[in-house]
Amino acid sequence: MSRAWKLRRKGCRYPGVPTMVTITISGAGKSGALARIAAFFVRKGYPLKGQQVVESASGAKLVKINLEVSHLDQAKLAAEMRSLSPEFKVVSVEGAESAAPSIKDMADQFPDIAALVRAYGESFGPESRDRELVEAGKRIGAFQYEKEWSFGSPLKMPVALRRTLVPALETLGKVDASDTDVTLPDSPFCGTGKTACCEFLTGFMQGFLDAGPLTQNTRVHKAACRAKGDSHCTYKFNYDL
């Protein structure tokens, strides 16, 4: 039984497991609006599965577009419609929520979560993406600490960094660490030409350390990022001994 088939049986929607999304666009009163919008979706490479013109309760013309996608950047789509014509406005996107994984999905699939985190991040617009990724990372980090690393005597920094946090991060990728920073030479959450989701790791490390009784005074911040032209992603730690 394939993983994709199992996910469909469970009702989950992950990258590579498409779901049908219906987009409703207003401002379609002029002749040729449907053809113009449909041609735009085809030209942009969206997997168009159907289109029609309908009337709203007030009699306004609406275009409904059906796409089969694994995730959809709604903020990007809205901007694209406005660039096509100021009259076109995305009124609703039905089915898009199921295209993005939830925090529970990521917790259940840990550590195989790079694609899930990317899909989660892409479900938000650029103005809120980093904030939402940090918050999701905090919850996953705290959950992993409680589940796998809360046994035994609590550790202080920097011992906790080397004995608990670094091993937890190594389940996600190669890690280089000192007493004050962590570097991921090839972070699975960052990549040229893709949506950078590095702030998920900022949140993951912060949540992980906040869950430890003796590491709650530690603060994590991203100091370097491959998506911004640096050679690797680096995170710094500030704490009192």
Side-chain angles (χ1 to χ4, degrees):
M1 185 183 297
S2 70
R3 180 172 181 267
W5 192 89
K6 290 178 180 178
L7 292 176
R8 288 190 180 97
R9 282 288 301 271
K10 291 169 63 179
C12 298
R13 298 292 188 269
Y14 295 130
V17 184
T19 187
M20 192 64 70
V21 173
T22 300
I23 302 161
T24 302
I25 301 166
S26 64
K30 292 183 178 180
S31 177
L34 174 61
R36 188 180 178 190
I37 292 172
F40 174 85
F41 276 93
V42 172
R43 186 170 66 252
K44 286 291 186 177
Y46 286 98
L48 184 63
K49 296 298 181 181
Q51 66 276 339
Q52 63 176 320
V53 175
V54 299
E55 283 192 5
S56 68
S58 62
K61 299 289 186 181
L62 303 172
V63 168
K64 285 190 175 290
I65 297 291
N66 295 323
L67 306 178
E68 190 174 46
V69 293
S70 56
H71 67 269
L72 183 68
D73 187 331
Q74 296 186 45
K76 177 184 176 183
L77 176 62
E80 288 176 334
M81 284 294 98
R82 288 194 299 271
S83 70
L84 182 61
S85 171
E87 297 177 350
F88 296 151
K89 180 181 179 181
V90 177
V91 176
S92 66
V93 181
E94 301 173 45
E97 288 302 315
S98 62
S102 66
I103 292 176
K104 183 180 184 302
D105 294 330
M106 289 184 275
D108 290 343
Q109 295 294 318
F110 191 90
D112 185 23
I113 61 170
L116 304 186
V117 169
R118 191 175 302 282
Y120 183 83
E122 288 176 349
S123 69
F124 297 98
E127 71 286 346
S128 62
R129 181 176 297 129
D130 285 352
R131 180 177 67 252
E132 296 294 341
L133 285 167
V134 168
E135 291 305 312
K138 285 181 178 179
R139 293 174 64 178
I140 301 295
F143 176 77
Q144 284 301 312
Y145 176 85
E146 295 292 344
K147 179 182 177 183
E148 303 289 348
W149 301 97
S150 60
F151 52 86
S153 300
L155 301 174
K156 295 181 179 180
M157 292 289 283
V159 177
L161 172 65
R162 295 187 175 277
R163 292 189 183 178
T164 60
L165 180 58
V166 168
L169 291 171
E170 286 176 335
T171 65
L172 300 171
K174 187 178 185 299
V175 176
D176 298 322
S178 72
D179 287 352
T180 57
D181 61 70
V182 161
T183 296
L184 287 85
D186 188 22
S187 172
F189 305 102
C190 186
T192 304
K194 298 180 180 180
T195 301
C197 297
C198 313
E199 291 297 354
F200 173 83
L201 278 184
T202 304
F204 179 90
M205 289 185 271
Q206 189 67 66
F208 188 98
L209 294 171
D210 284 348
L214 302 183
T215 54
Q216 295 173 349
N217 67 331
T218 306
R219 290 294 169 261
V220 184
H221 72 275
K222 186 173 65 174
C225 180
R226 284 196 301 133
K228 296 182 178 179
D230 298 309
S231 60
H232 45 247
C233 295
T234 297
Y235 302 81
K236 295 285 186 179
F237 301 87
N238 296 318
Y239 55 90
D240 299 324
L241 293 175

Coordinates of all heavy atoms in Angstrom, one line a residue, residues 101-159:
P101 N -0.9 20.9 5.3 CA -0.9 20.1 6.5 C -1.1 20.9 7.8 O -0.9 22.1 7.8 CB 0.5 19.5 6.5 CG 1.3 20.4 5.7 CD 0.4 21.0 4.7
S102 N -1.6 20.3 8.8 CA -1.8 20.9 10.1 C -0.6 20.7 11.0 O 0.3 19.9 10.6 CB -3.0 20.4 10.8 OG -2.8 19.0 11.1
I103 N -0.5 21.4 12.1 CA 0.6 21.2 13.0 C 0.6 19.8 13.6 O 1.6 19.1 13.8 CB 0.5 22.2 14.2 CG1 0.8 23.6 13.6 CG2 1.5 21.9 15.3 CD1 0.6 24.7 14.6
K104 N -0.6 19.2 13.8 CA -0.7 17.8 14.2 C -0.1 16.9 13.2 O 0.5 15.9 13.5 CB -2.2 17.5 14.5 CG -2.4 16.0 15.0 CD -3.8 15.7 15.3 CE -4.0 14.3 15.9 NZ -3.4 13.3 15.0
D105 N -0.4 17.2 11.9 CA 0.2 16.3 10.8 C 1.7 16.3 10.9 O 2.3 15.3 10.8 CB -0.2 16.9 9.4 CG -1.7 16.8 9.2 OD1 -2.3 15.8 9.7 OD2 -2.2 17.6 8.4
M106 N 2.3 17.5 11.2 CA 3.7 17.6 11.3 C 4.3 16.9 12.5 O 5.3 16.2 12.4 CB 4.2 19.1 11.3 CG 4.0 19.8 9.9 SD 4.6 21.5 9.9 CE 3.2 22.4 10.6
A107 N 3.5 17.0 13.6 CA 3.9 16.3 14.8 C 3.9 14.8 14.6 O 4.8 14.0 15.0 CB 3.1 16.7 16.0
D108 N 2.9 14.3 13.9 CA 2.7 12.9 13.7 C 3.8 12.3 12.7 O 4.2 11.2 12.9 CB 1.3 12.6 13.1 CG 0.2 12.8 14.1 OD1 0.5 12.8 15.3 OD2 -1.0 12.9 13.7
Q109 N 4.2 13.1 11.8 CA 5.2 12.7 10.8 C 6.6 13.0 11.1 O 7.5 12.6 10.4 CB 4.8 13.3 9.4 CG 3.5 12.9 8.8 CD 3.4 11.5 8.5 OE1 4.4 10.9 7.9 NE2 2.3 10.8 8.8
F110 N 6.9 13.7 12.2 CA 8.3 14.0 12.6 C 9.1 12.7 12.7 O 8.7 11.7 13.2 CB 8.2 14.7 14.0 CG 9.5 15.3 14.3 CD1 9.8 16.6 14.0 CD2 10.5 14.6 15.0 CE1 11.0 17.2 14.3 CE2 11.7 15.2 15.4 CZ 12.0 16.5 15.0
P111 N 10.4 12.8 12.1 CA 11.1 13.9 11.6 C 11.0 14.1 10.0 O 11.6 15.0 9.5 CB 12.6 13.6 11.9 CG 12.6 12.1 11.8 CD 11.2 11.6 12.3
D112 N 10.2 13.4 9.4 CA 10.0 13.5 7.9 C 9.0 14.6 7.6 O 7.9 14.3 7.1 CB 9.5 12.1 7.4 CG 9.5 12.1 5.9 OD1 10.2 12.9 5.2 OD2 8.7 11.3 5.3
I113 N 9.4 15.8 7.9 CA 8.5 16.9 7.8 C 8.9 18.1 6.9 O 8.1 19.0 6.8 CB 8.2 17.5 9.2 CG1 9.5 18.0 9.8 CG2 7.5 16.4 10.1 CD1 9.2 18.8 11.1
A114 N 10.0 18.0 6.2 CA 10.5 19.1 5.4 C 9.4 19.6 4.4 O 9.1 20.7 4.3 CB 11.8 18.8 4.7
A115 N 8.8 18.6 3.6 CA 7.8 18.9 2.6 C 6.6 19.5 3.3 O 5.9 20.4 2.8 CB 7.5 17.7 1.8
L116 N 6.2 18.9 4.4 CA 5.0 19.4 5.1 C 5.2 20.8 5.6 O 4.3 21.6 5.5 CB 4.7 18.5 6.3 CG 4.5 17.0 6.1 CD1 4.1 16.3 7.3 CD2 3.5 16.7 5.0
V117 N 6.4 21.1 6.2 CA 6.6 22.5 6.7 C 6.6 23.5 5.5 O 6.0 24.6 5.6 CB 8.0 22.5 7.4 CG1 8.4 24.0 7.7 CG2 7.9 21.8 8.7
R118 N 7.2 23.1 4.4 CA 7.1 24.0 3.2 C 5.7 24.2 2.7 O 5.3 25.4 2.5 CB 8.0 23.4 2.1 CG 8.2 24.4 1.0 CD 9.1 23.8 -0.1 NE 10.4 23.4 0.4 CZ 11.4 24.2 0.8 NH1 11.3 25.5 0.6 NH2 12.5 23.7 1.2
A119 N 4.9 23.2 2.7 CA 3.5 23.3 2.3 C 2.7 24.2 3.3 O 1.9 25.0 2.9 CB 2.8 22.0 2.1
Y120 N 3.0 24.0 4.6 CA 2.4 24.8 5.6 C 2.8 26.3 5.4 O 1.9 27.1 5.5 CB 2.8 24.3 7.0 CG 2.2 25.0 8.2 CD1 0.9 24.6 8.6 CD2 2.9 26.0 8.8 CE1 0.3 25.3 9.7 CE2 2.3 26.7 9.9 CZ 1.0 26.3 10.3 OH 0.4 26.9 11.4
G121 N 4.0 26.5 5.2 CA 4.5 27.9 5.1 C 3.9 28.6 3.8 O 3.5 29.8 3.9
E122 N 3.8 27.8 2.7 CA 3.3 28.4 1.5 C 1.8 28.6 1.6 O 1.2 29.3 0.7 CB 3.6 27.4 0.3 CG 5.1 27.4 0.0 CD 5.4 26.4 -1.1 OE1 4.5 25.5 -1.4 OE2 6.5 26.5 -1.6
S123 N 1.1 28.1 2.6 CA -0.3 28.4 2.7 C -0.6 29.8 3.3 O -1.7 30.2 3.3 CB -1.0 27.3 3.6 OG -0.6 27.4 5.0
F124 N 0.5 30.5 3.7 CA 0.3 31.8 4.3 C 1.0 32.8 3.3 O 1.9 32.5 2.5 CB 1.0 32.0 5.6 CG 0.5 31.1 6.7 CD1 1.0 29.8 7.0 CD2 -0.7 31.5 7.4 CE1 0.5 29.0 8.0 CE2 -1.2 30.7 8.4 CZ -0.6 29.4 8.7
G125 N 0.5 34.1 3.4 CA 1.1 35.1 2.6 C 2.4 35.5 3.2 O 2.8 35.2 4.3
P126 N 3.3 36.2 2.4 CA 4.6 36.6 2.9 C 4.6 37.5 4.1 O 5.6 37.5 4.9 CB 5.2 37.4 1.6 CG 4.0 37.7 0.8 CD 3.0 36.7 1.0
E127 N 3.5 38.2 4.3 CA 3.5 39.1 5.5 C 3.4 38.4 6.8 O 3.7 38.9 7.9 CB 2.4 40.2 5.3 CG 1.0 39.7 5.5 CD 0.5 38.9 4.3 OE1 1.2 39.0 3.2 OE2 -0.5 38.2 4.4
S128 N 2.8 37.2 6.8 CA 2.6 36.4 8.0 C 3.3 35.1 8.1 O 3.3 34.4 9.1 CB 1.1 36.2 8.2 OG 0.5 35.4 7.1
R129 N 4.0 34.7 7.0 CA 4.5 33.4 6.9 C 5.6 33.1 8.0 O 5.5 32.1 8.7 CB 5.2 33.2 5.5 CG 5.8 31.8 5.3 CD 6.3 31.6 3.9 NE 5.3 31.7 3.0 CZ 5.3 32.5 1.9 NH1 6.3 33.3 1.7 NH2 4.3 32.5 1.0
D130 N 6.5 34.0 8.2 CA 7.6 33.7 9.2 C 7.0 33.6 10.6 O 7.4 32.7 11.3 CB 8.6 34.9 9.1 CG 9.6 34.7 7.9 OD1 9.5 33.7 7.2 OD2 10.3 35.7 7.7
R131 N 6.1 34.5 10.9 CA 5.4 34.5 12.2 C 4.7 33.1 12.5 O 4.9 32.5 13.5 CB 4.5 35.6 12.4 CG 3.8 35.7 13.7 CD 2.9 36.9 13.9 NE 1.7 36.9 13.0 CZ 1.6 37.6 11.9 NH1 2.5 38.5 11.6 NH2 0.5 37.5 11.2
E132 N 4.0 32.7 11.5 CA 3.2 31.4 11.6 C 4.2 30.2 11.7 O 3.9 29.3 12.4 CB 2.3 31.3 10.4 CG 1.2 32.3 10.4 CD 0.2 32.2 11.6 OE1 0.2 31.2 12.2 OE2 -0.5 33.2 11.8
L133 N 5.3 30.3 10.9 CA 6.3 29.2 11.0 C 6.9 29.1 12.3 O 7.2 28.0 12.9 CB 7.3 29.4 9.9 CG 6.8 29.0 8.5 CD1 7.8 29.5 7.4 CD2 6.6 27.5 8.3
V134 N 7.3 30.3 12.9 CA 7.9 30.3 14.2 C 6.9 29.7 15.3 O 7.3 28.8 16.1 CB 8.2 31.7 14.7 CG1 8.6 31.8 16.2 CG2 9.4 32.2 13.9
E135 N 5.7 30.1 15.2 CA 4.7 29.5 16.2 C 4.5 28.0 16.0 O 4.4 27.3 17.0 CB 3.4 30.3 16.1 CG 3.4 31.7 16.5 CD 3.9 31.9 17.9 OE1 3.5 31.1 18.8 OE2 4.8 32.7 18.2
A136 N 4.4 27.6 14.8 CA 4.3 26.1 14.5 C 5.5 25.4 15.0 O 5.5 24.3 15.7 CB 4.1 25.9 13.0
G137 N 6.7 26.0 14.8 CA 8.0 25.3 15.2 C 8.0 25.2 16.7 O 8.5 24.2 17.3
K138 N 7.6 26.3 17.4 CA 7.6 26.2 18.9 C 6.7 25.1 19.4 O 7.2 24.4 20.3 CB 7.0 27.6 19.4 CG 8.0 28.7 19.4 CD 7.3 30.0 20.0 CE 8.3 31.1 20.0 NZ 7.7 32.4 20.6
R139 N 5.6 24.9 18.8 CA 4.7 23.8 19.3 C 5.3 22.4 19.0 O 5.3 21.5 19.8 CB 3.3 23.9 18.6 CG 2.6 25.2 19.1 CD 1.3 25.4 18.4 NE 0.3 24.3 18.6 CZ -0.9 24.3 18.1 NH1 -1.3 25.3 17.3 NH2 -1.7 23.3 18.4
I140 N 5.9 22.3 17.8 CA 6.5 21.0 17.5 C 7.8 20.7 18.4 O 8.0 19.6 18.8 CB 6.9 20.9 16.0 CG1 5.7 21.1 15.1 CG2 7.6 19.6 15.7 CD1 4.7 20.0 15.2
G141 N 8.6 21.8 18.6 CA 9.7 21.7 19.4 C 9.4 21.3 20.9 O 10.0 20.4 21.4
A142 N 8.4 21.9 21.4 CA 8.0 21.6 22.8 C 7.5 20.2 22.9 O 7.7 19.5 23.8 CB 6.9 22.6 23.3
F143 N 6.7 19.8 21.9 CA 6.1 18.4 21.8 C 7.3 17.4 21.8 O 7.2 16.4 22.5 CB 5.2 18.3 20.6 CG 4.7 16.9 20.5 CD1 3.6 16.5 21.3 CD2 5.2 16.1 19.5 CE1 3.1 15.2 21.1 CE2 4.7 14.8 19.3 CZ 3.6 14.3 20.1
Q144 N 8.3 17.6 20.9 CA 9.4 16.7 20.8 C 10.2 16.6 22.1 O 10.6 15.5 22.5 CB 10.3 17.1 19.6 CG 9.7 16.7 18.3 CD 9.4 15.3 18.1 OE1 10.2 14.4 18.4 NE2 8.2 14.9 17.7
Y145 N 10.4 17.7 22.8 CA 11.1 17.7 24.0 C 10.4 16.8 25.0 O 10.9 15.9 25.7 CB 11.3 19.1 24.6 CG 12.0 19.1 26.0 CD1 13.4 19.0 26.1 CD2 11.2 19.1 27.1 CE1 14.0 19.0 27.3 CE2 11.9 19.0 28.4 CZ 13.2 18.9 28.5 OH 13.8 18.9 29.7
E146 N 9.1 17.1 25.2 CA 8.3 16.4 26.2 C 8.2 14.9 25.8 O 8.2 14.0 26.7 CB 6.9 16.9 26.3 CG 6.8 18.4 26.8 CD 7.2 18.4 28.3 OE1 7.2 17.4 29.0 OE2 7.5 19.6 28.7
K147 N 8.2 14.6 24.6 CA 8.0 13.2 24.1 C 9.3 12.4 24.2 O 9.3 11.2 24.7 CB 7.5 13.2 22.7 CG 7.3 11.8 22.1 CD 6.9 11.9 20.6 CE 6.8 10.5 20.0 NZ 6.4 10.5 18.6
E148 N 10.4 13.0 23.8 CA 11.7 12.2 23.7 C 12.8 12.6 24.6 O 13.7 11.8 24.9 CB 12.2 12.4 22.2 CG 11.2 12.0 21.1 CD 11.0 10.5 21.1 OE1 11.8 9.8 21.7 OE2 10.1 10.1 20.4
W149 N 12.8 13.8 25.2 CA 14.0 14.3 25.9 C 13.7 14.8 27.3 O 14.6 15.4 28.0 CB 14.6 15.5 25.1 CG 15.0 15.0 23.7 CD1 14.3 15.2 22.6 CD2 16.1 14.3 23.4 NE1 14.9 14.6 21.5 CE2 16.1 14.1 22.0 CE3 17.3 13.8 24.1 CZ2 17.1 13.4 21.3 CZ3 18.3 13.2 23.4 CH2 18.1 12.9 22.0
S150 N 12.5 14.7 27.9 CA 12.2 15.2 29.2 C 12.5 14.2 30.3 O 12.4 14.6 31.5 CB 10.7 15.6 29.3 OG 9.9 14.4 29.0
F151 N 13.0 13.0 30.0 CA 13.4 12.1 31.0 C 14.7 12.4 31.7 O 15.5 13.2 31.1 CB 13.4 10.7 30.4 CG 14.3 10.6 29.2 CD1 15.7 10.4 29.3 CD2 13.8 10.7 27.9 CE1 16.5 10.3 28.2 CE2 14.6 10.6 26.8 CZ 15.9 10.4 26.9
G152 N 15.0 11.9 32.8 CA 16.3 12.2 33.5 C 16.3 13.6 34.1 O 15.3 14.3 34.2
S153 N 17.5 13.9 34.6 CA 17.7 15.2 35.3 C 17.8 16.3 34.3 O 18.4 16.2 33.2 CB 19.0 15.2 36.1 OG 19.0 14.2 37.1
P154 N 17.1 17.5 34.5 CA 17.1 18.6 33.6 C 18.6 19.1 33.4 O 19.4 19.1 34.4 CB 16.3 19.6 34.3 CG 15.4 18.9 35.2 CD 16.2 17.7 35.7
L155 N 18.9 19.6 32.2 CA 20.2 20.0 31.9 C 20.2 21.5 31.7 O 19.2 22.1 31.2 CB 20.7 19.3 30.6 CG 20.8 17.8 30.7 CD1 21.2 17.3 29.3 CD2 21.8 17.4 31.7
K156 N 21.3 22.2 32.0 CA 21.5 23.6 31.7 C 22.2 23.8 30.4 O 22.8 22.9 29.9 CB 22.3 24.3 32.9 CG 21.7 24.3 34.2 CD 22.6 25.0 35.2 CE 21.9 25.0 36.6 NZ 22.8 25.7 37.6
M157 N 22.1 25.0 29.9 CA 23.0 25.4 28.7 C 24.4 25.5 29.2 O 24.7 26.0 30.3 CB 22.5 26.7 28.1 CG 21.1 26.6 27.5 SD 21.1 25.6 25.9 CE 21.8 26.8 24.8
P158 N 25.4 25.2 28.3 CA 25.3 24.7 27.0 C 25.2 23.1 26.9 O 25.1 22.6 25.8 CB 26.5 25.2 26.3 CG 27.5 25.1 27.4 CD 26.8 25.5 28.7
V159 N 25.2 22.5 28.0 CA 25.2 21.0 28.0 C 23.9 20.5 27.3 O 23.9 19.6 26.5 CB 25.3 20.4 29.4 CG1 25.1 18.9 29.4 CG2 26.6 20.8 30.1

